[in-house]
Amino acid sequence: MPTPTFLQVSYRADYPPVLRGIDLHLQAGQRVGVVGRTGAGKSTLVGALLRLVDRDSGSLTIDGIDVCDVGLHQLRPRISVIPQTPFLFSGTVRQNLDPFNRHTDVEIWAALETSGVKEVVQALPDAVDGAGMILGSGLLAMCEENGGNFSVGERQLLCLARAILSRNRILIMDEATANVDLDTDRKVQQAIRECFSERGCTVIMIAHRLRTIIDCDQVLVMHDGTIAEAGHPHELLAKYLGSNDLNSSQNLAAAAAAATTSADTKERPDP
């Protein structure tokens, strides 16, 4: 249950704060969408949670424990992150999904099936050594450096399978579906519902496509390092559009844009 409280973050002491006055409480098990213009502070908020950047002031706690009181080797392995650019290294499929060899083949295949990429892995050619000996197929098939033998969508689904195997209580998706097609986006959202939301995990989604957060429990509209608005998508639509129609992601996009414009107007001094 991440809880940033009056959080302020700067990248350098002589730079203005990138996040300021963040006061937010998220309930465990919520799905939270984070939207905003480029530079609004969305990724910095996630970076503060992972301690990729130090805070200037305020506190950020998970279940009442300040993240700065926890070692990085304890904090980061307990938070799953699916970034915009999927990461795979040269090695077998199994090594990419389970680098510490903690899971059985059955568990790995189940994660691949849930993420919708099982058939792709099953169809991979046999791995062979320098002498032409077959080393194995399926989970023992090779991934090229950066997953070069997979499409972008397939790489993202493999990263999703890795997150499913970790069984962490917090999942962060940093524009994870920004570069994939709609079918892959659908598979990702379905897997999140089945493997994370139904398991009571907290999911934080930095959104590229508004349709991916339209059924979130809460939407945060970031603007200039602050939270301009926070609430259920119904509330944002009702406040800024006078509508409760969640069937169109365009409506939610318009409401988020209106919230940002409103924040701009409040900050701009009168001439």
Side-chain angles (χ1 to χ4, degrees):
M1 185 170 58
T3 312
T5 305
F6 299 110
L7 187 67
Q8 180 166 304
V9 174
S10 301
Y11 284 108
R12 270 178 38 178
D14 55 338
Y15 280 15
V18 183
L19 294 179
R20 50 195 174 86
I22 300 293
D23 183 15
L24 176 67
H25 179 84
L26 305 182
Q27 295 290 337
Q30 278 190 325
R31 282 200 300 166
V32 181
V34 184
V35 298
R37 296 170 180 165
T38 300
K42 305 183 298 296
S43 295
T44 304
L45 184 64
V46 170
L49 177 62
L50 293 168
R51 289 181 56 194
L52 297 174
V53 57
D54 291 329
R55 65 195 181 214
D56 299 334
S57 61
S59 64
L60 201 161
T61 64
I62 300 175
D63 290 338
I65 301 174
D66 195 303
V67 296
C68 286
D69 294 334
V70 181
L72 294 179
H73 65 287
Q74 292 179 305
L75 174 68
R76 292 177 183 170
R78 286 167 172 76
I79 301 176
S80 295
V81 180
I82 303 178
Q84 180 175 350
T85 303
F87 174 75
L88 295 173
F89 55 85
S90 179
T92 67
V93 172
R94 192 184 216 294
Q95 289 170 335
N96 271 274
L97 299 181
D98 183 26
F100 299 107
N101 200 29
R102 294 171 177 166
H103 302 279
T104 66
D105 285 2
V106 173
E107 291 172 327
I108 296 175
W109 281 117
L112 289 169
E113 184 171 15
T114 301
S115 64
V117 75
K118 179 180 178 179
E119 293 181 357
V120 173
V121 174
Q122 288 176 325
L124 289 173
D126 294 337
V128 296
D129 62 15
M133 297 292 293
I134 295 177
L135 301 177
S137 59
L139 298 181
L140 296 179
M142 296 299 295
C143 288
E144 295 179 5
E145 186 70 30
N146 295 321
N149 52 334
F150 295 97
S151 70
V152 174
E154 290 167 350
R155 286 178 234 162
Q156 200 62 283
L157 293 175
L158 286 169
C159 290
L160 175 61
R162 183 192 295 151
I164 291 172
L165 282 171
S166 70
R167 300 186 66 84
N168 285 325
R169 304 295 294 177
I170 299 176
L171 170 68
I172 296 172
M173 300 182 62
D174 192 354
E175 300 203 39
T177 59
N179 298 324
V180 301
D181 56 41
L182 292 177
D183 183 58
T184 302
D185 191 352
R186 178 188 57 78
K187 291 178 180 178
V188 170
Q189 300 307 320
Q190 181 179 346
I192 288 173
R193 282 189 289 270
E194 292 178 359
C195 293
F196 294 97
S197 297
E198 293 180 4
R199 210 166 65 204
C201 297
T202 302
V203 180
I204 301 174
M205 292 188 286
I206 297 177
H208 173 75
R209 294 191 179 106
L210 273 298
R211 65 187 296 275
T212 65
I213 63 165
I214 206 163
D215 57 349
C216 282
D217 302 303
Q218 185 175 183
V219 173
L220 309 179
V221 182
M222 300 286 297
H223 172 71
D224 194 23
T226 65
I227 298 176
E229 285 288 346
H232 190 277
H234 280 294
E235 297 173 1
L236 295 182
L237 290 172
K239 181 174 181 178
Y240 290 99
L241 297 185
S243 167
N244 283 317
D245 181 15
L246 283 176
N247 294 322
S248 172
S249 58
Q250 292 179 342
N251 284 351
L252 185 55
T260 301
T261 301
S262 176
D264 263 335
T265 303
K266 291 177 183 177
E267 292 183 0
R268 191 179 302 121
D270 294 330

